[in-house]
Amino acid sequence: MTRRILLPVLAALAVSACAATGNGEPPVTSLPGFEPAADPCGAEARGYLIGQPIREVDLESLARIVRPIHPGQPVTMDHRPDRLNIDLDGDGAIVRLWCG
């Protein structure tokens, strides 16, 4: 009887231990004196592109990582501060630039 209870409890503990993250240290972004970059991908500096057709823009010259996003296109939700996301309208014109 004890084994029937003990085994599931130990299994649950093992799974929860695997799910734990971090090493007990605060994340780098919460350290005193650390200021994250306000515009790490350069979106603000490229605001002049809003309204231009994406086909006329040299994407390779904009940032190291560029992701054009068409209306309704599924995108991953991973956060990459150095990635320049480019939201497009139905005609392929740039409507928003943002980092992430």
Side-chain angles (χ1 to χ4, degrees), residues 83-99:
R83 176 174 51 207
L84 176 63
N85 293 291
I86 305 173
D87 287 339
L88 305 170
D89 66 11
D91 295 325
I94 298 171
V95 294
R96 183 172 79 124
L97 302 165
W98 53 285
C99 301

Side-chain angles (χ1 to χ4, degrees), residues 21-27:
T21 59
N23 59 2
E25 297 292 322

